[in-house]
Every structure is written in C-alpha cells, then in structure tokens.
Amino acid sequence: ERLALPKARDRIVRYLVTEGETIEGSVHLDGSLHDWAVHLGIAAETLSCALTELVAERIIARKGSAFRLIGHV
C-alpha cells in the first residue's frame, strides 16, 4: 500500500503513521537512510530531499536517527 503512494513525502509520512511507536508517529531507525529509502522504494537522494522539506515545513521533527510526526500534511 505504501509503495502505491506516488510522492516520497507521502510514503515517509505514511511510514511514520503506520510504523510509529506512538500516536505521534515516532520512529527510530536502526539502519541507514539508504536502507529506509530502499524499504520505501525511493532513491536515497529523494529521501534526503523529502526529509529536508518535511522538517522545514514542520511536518516532521528529526533528532539523529529518530523521526517524529509533528504537523499535518
């Protein structure tokens, strides 16, 4: 289902919502960003750009390898 989403940012948000440890969608990555990109079916560069945009738009927060959903898409 997640791979059917056309935009990388939608895949990231969906992952945080479905795989998050809390209602806020908090996820700590055990692997690398490259591993996460492969899991999401997108290029690592695309993931990096999308994460930068989502953080700048205050949709997600990032602290090291932890990501948390904080805003609405």
Side-chain angles (χ1 to χ4, degrees):
E1 177 184 334
R2 183 172 38 248
L3 296 178
L5 297 170
K7 293 184 179 180
R9 59 190 289 131
D10 295 335
R11 292 182 187 195
I12 294 165
V13 170
R14 171 66 114 194
Y15 183 88
L16 293 175
V17 169
T18 60
E19 305 295 325
E21 299 168 358
T22 66
I23 192 127
E24 294 88 18
S26 180
V27 172
H28 181 272
L29 296 181
D30 291 329
S32 68
L33 285 181
H34 181 268
D35 294 339
W36 193 20
V38 169
H39 181 75
L40 294 174
I42 58 178
E45 295 82 9
T46 303
L47 175 62
S48 179
C49 289
L51 287 173
T52 298
E53 290 173 3
L54 289 167
V55 168
E57 294 171 15
R58 296 185 173 276
I59 294 171
I60 65 170
R62 178 179 182 182
K63 186 173 184 180
S65 60
F67 297 86
R68 184 171 50 92
L69 192 60
I70 58 173
H72 297 8
V73 181

